Amino acid sequence: MNSTTVVLKFGGPAIASPEKIREVAKRITEEKQLGKDIVVIISSMASIRQDLRAYAADLSDDPSKREMDVLLATGAQMTSALLAIAIQELGSKATSLAGWQAGLLTDSTHRNARVEKVDTKRIIHHLKQNEIVVIAGFQGIDVQEDITTLGKGGSETTAVAVAAALGAERVDIFTNVDGIYTADPTVVERARKLKELSYDEMLELANLGAHILHPRAVELAKKFKIPLIVRSSMTNAVGTLVKGDVEMENNLVVRGVAYEADIIRLTIGYDSYEAASLAEVFSVLAERGINVDIIVQAVIDGVKPTISFTIEKDEFAEALRVLESTKLSLGFSFADFEVGLAKVSIVGSGMVSNPGVAARMFARLGKEHIPVKMVSTSEIKVSVVVPQEMMVKAANVLHDEFNLAERVEVI
């Protein structure tokens, strides 16, 4: 491992204007002065990205994915060049690289490509010249030498992929928060910042609605054992370290509460058990790129069997179209849906060796008269679907039930 290299990722509010970019440049040069080799991954300024999308929308209602990749990739390239200029103005050496120049090779899935390899030769060349390397995130190039973009979480994924290829010491993710909290502090007043989280805990929280880190980046960090630090781009506060094994707090079984609004429950019913096929239903939905979350199948003597599952609001219309167009082949007799739902989850690696957590969760929700409509569990999480108007209350009472505001981190 090259313990002298640190990868820094910036995006969002941190780079919203030239003034903000100057502040980021100062932060980067301070890190460089600590004696590290610095690689920076940058996403595009939001204003630039919005303008590019608007230009395309003015020209076409359905622009090709390939051309949108070419177009949107320029946003991060522009921002990386601006940041390199700002760093140079502070007296440090810096070079900006587009994703393809930095050696990010991807598959050919436009708008949602996967990184297959990072050829680090050019990055290493610039580092040996004592330069800060600023890479445009969210993008790469495929075997046809077409520009691709990586979809949601693309810049974070770029940062981890580059760090893994370089054998870097860590990746610092700079955000508008100073770390990862036991719950969203804007919703749960007594939420507390965590010192450490395991990859598995962070992955569950990310998948369950905590939008600090994207699951793709966490999965990649776990695979290559790259430590991640979530830090504030505005202060020097100590952030949250995400790594393999973490120091457990005394008796802290649950480590965090997450929530996700705008969940929809779809239910399809069959005239007989023989006609019901989970595999066929979810294969059809998967082929259309529709993500299904919590699944419940009800098979009771004397009652028509049903399959219920949850999807995100953005995929509702497409899911209905798919079900309607495949009703005959799938063989179901009716379909129904329920809107106005939310998912609330508790997460903690300590749940593996502590039975009774789910029962305690259900008991507290029942005491608070919060109805539970669906349940999903894994070794380290329990998720429930509740009415959306009770989502905030559910998050707060569960945070209270498991005493997350009162624990003291082990140092």
Side-chain angles (χ1 to χ4, degrees):
M1 175 175 285
N2 183 358
S3 60
T4 65
T5 301
V6 175
V7 176
L8 313 178
K9 185 267 176 183
F10 291 88
I15 53 169
S17 66
E19 292 74 21
K20 296 283 189 181
I21 289 174
R22 288 192 189 96
E23 292 300 316
V24 168
K26 291 178 184 177
R27 190 72 176 266
I28 292 167
T29 55
E30 289 170 1
E31 294 284 339
K32 177 66 175 174
Q33 288 166 5
L34 297 176
K36 302 291 186 180
D37 289 334
I38 302 295
V39 177
V40 182
I41 309 299
I42 203 80
S43 56
S44 64
M45 297 170 66
S47 58
I48 293 176
R49 185 168 60 249
Q50 291 165 3
D51 286 346
L52 294 173
R53 292 184 187 278
Y55 295 150
D58 282 344
L59 297 170
S60 172
D61 292 332
D62 186 26
S64 76
K65 291 183 177 181
R66 180 192 182 279
E67 299 311 325
M68 287 302 294
D69 273 357
V70 175
L71 178 67
L72 294 176
T74 63
Q77 292 169 23
M78 292 170 66
T79 311
S80 64
L82 291 171
L83 180 57
I85 291 169
I87 293 170
Q88 292 164 1
E89 283 298 300
L90 294 174
S92 294
K93 297 166 66 178
T95 295
S96 68
L97 299 176
W100 63 269
Q101 291 175 308
L104 273 96
L105 307 177
T106 76
D107 64 19
S108 299
T109 308
H110 288 289
R111 302 300 303 278
N112 195 32
R114 300 280 167 168
V115 178
E116 294 185 338
K117 179 183 177 182
V118 181
D119 184 344
T120 60
K121 289 196 295 292
R122 187 160 182 183
I123 299 173
I124 292 172
H125 167 76
H126 289 292
L127 291 176
K128 287 181 177 178
Q129 306 305 312
N130 200 35
E131 298 176 17
I132 297 169
V133 181
V134 184
I135 299 173
F138 178 69
Q139 61 189 262
I141 193 169
D142 67 8
V143 292
Q144 285 81 36
E145 297 188 346
D146 282 336
I147 292 172
T148 56
T149 62
L150 308 185
K152 291 182 179 179
S155 293
E156 292 169 11
T157 303
T158 301
V160 178
V162 169
L166 290 171
E169 175 185 328
R170 67 179 195 272
V171 175
D172 288 4
I173 308 289
F174 288 86
T175 72
N176 58 350
V177 296
D178 62 355
I180 299 164
Y181 283 68
T182 51
D184 183 346
T186 65
V187 168
V188 179
E189 185 177 343
R190 301 183 70 201
R192 175 179 53 83
K193 186 171 72 175
L194 291 161
K195 177 187 174 187
E196 295 180 349
L197 273 177
S198 70
Y199 292 124
D200 287 337
E201 289 171 330
M202 187 66 250
L203 192 55
E204 288 285 11
L205 288 170
N207 278 314
L208 294 169
H211 299 296
I212 303 300
L213 291 175
H214 195 276
R216 287 175 63 185
V218 182
E219 287 174 352
L220 202 58
K222 178 183 177 181
K223 178 179 179 179
F224 291 101
K225 298 180 173 62
I226 302 295
L228 306 176
I229 299 180
V230 177
R231 305 172 60 184
S232 169
S233 60
M234 296 169 282
T235 72
N236 287 317
V238 175
T240 299
L241 173 63
V242 182
K243 62 176 186 175
D245 297 320
V246 302
E247 295 284 348
M248 293 299 296
E249 301 179 31
N250 293 332
N251 303 317
L252 186 57
V253 176
V254 173
R255 302 265 285 168
V257 176
Y259 65 86
E260 188 172 2
D262 292 325
I263 298 298
I264 295 175
R265 176 169 65 177
L266 276 169
T267 300
I268 57 178
Y270 296 83
D271 290 330
S272 67
Y273 172 73
E274 289 74 22
S277 172
L278 287 171
E280 289 183 8
V281 171
F282 298 116
S283 293
V284 167
L285 293 170
E287 287 169 3
R288 306 301 202 283
I290 297 169
N291 292 313
V292 172
D293 188 13
I294 300 175
I295 302 169
V296 176
Q297 183 178 31
V299 180
I300 305 171
D301 288 344
V303 178
K304 290 184 177 182
T306 60
I307 300 170
S308 296
F309 53 91
T310 60
I311 60 172
E312 294 181 1
K313 182 179 179 180
D314 292 345
E315 298 185 323
F316 177 48
E318 178 64 16
L320 284 183
R321 281 194 293 269
V322 171
L323 291 176
E324 183 63 30
S325 65
T326 58
K327 182 176 181 179
L328 289 177
S329 62
L330 293 177
F332 62 88
S333 57
F334 71 89
D336 198 3
F337 62 89
E338 183 178 1
V339 299
L341 302 175
K343 181 171 64 176
V344 181
S345 309
I346 57 174
V347 174
S349 55
M351 292 165 62
V352 175
S353 55
N354 287 273
V357 174
R360 185 175 166 188
M361 178 186 191
F362 301 148
R364 182 60 186 269
L365 292 173
K367 179 181 177 182
E368 303 290 341
H369 306 291
I370 300 173
V372 174
K373 293 178 174 285
M374 300 179 79
V375 178
S376 174
T377 66
S378 74
E379 285 188 333
I380 66 169
K381 66 96 175 173
V382 182
S383 297
V384 294
V385 174
V386 301
Q388 184 154 306
E389 66 269 19
M390 294 186 174
M391 178 185 74
V392 171
K393 180 181 179 181
N396 276 273
V397 299
L398 291 175
H399 195 271
D400 174 71
E401 174 65 26
F402 293 100
N403 305 314
L404 295 183
E406 301 171 11
R407 301 295 180 176
V408 178
E409 294 283 355
V410 174
I411 304 298

